Amino acid sequence: MAKQDAPLTTEALIKEVCRRIRVARSYWDAHNNAACRGERDRAISLYNTLSKEQKEQIPQVLRVWLRYRSEKYFGAHRTPPKSARKSK
């Protein structure tokens, strides 16, 4: 994917955060942990740029999954993922 030149507007940023959380949840449901971790990291980085009022515009279900449930599985206390594959 190409990087965007202009930063997202407030409304577009909120939509993008919601979209990334939903994508991460769909990867989670499909048991694709590596892809889920990547999308979750992108969603978290965008989420952390939002103000408190903007964060409240994100549906609560998505906020809870992003902050708490996924932290249980992808938090710093967990073992980091291994390298892709070892060559034989």
Side-chain angles (χ1 to χ4, degrees):
M1 269 190 179
K3 295 269 183 184
Q4 292 181 340
D5 294 334
L8 297 172
T9 62
T10 303
E11 189 173 311
L13 184 60
I14 292 170
K15 281 187 174 184
E16 181 66 12
V17 170
C18 291
R19 185 187 74 80
R20 290 216 180 258
I21 296 170
R22 286 187 180 105
V23 169
R25 282 179 36 174
S26 69
Y27 285 142
W28 175 258
D29 291 340
H31 304 283
N32 189 346
N33 290 343
C36 178
R37 182 183 294 270
E39 279 299 321
R40 181 187 169 275
D41 289 343
R42 290 183 201 109
I44 284 270
S45 64
L46 287 175
Y47 180 81
N48 288 334
T49 64
L50 299 175
S51 68
K52 185 176 181 180
E53 294 80 22
Q54 292 169 333
K55 288 178 182 178
E56 291 174 359
Q57 293 179 11
I58 295 176
Q60 185 178 7
V61 173
L62 298 179
R63 283 185 283 155
V64 168
W65 187 88
L66 182 66
R67 290 187 314 214
Y68 300 112
R69 181 162 182 238
S70 62
E71 186 65 26
K72 177 180 176 182
Y73 298 99
F74 298 116
H77 67 284
R78 299 294 292 192
T79 304
K82 304 279 187 223
S83 60
R85 290 190 178 188
K86 295 180 182 178
S87 58
K88 292 183 178 181

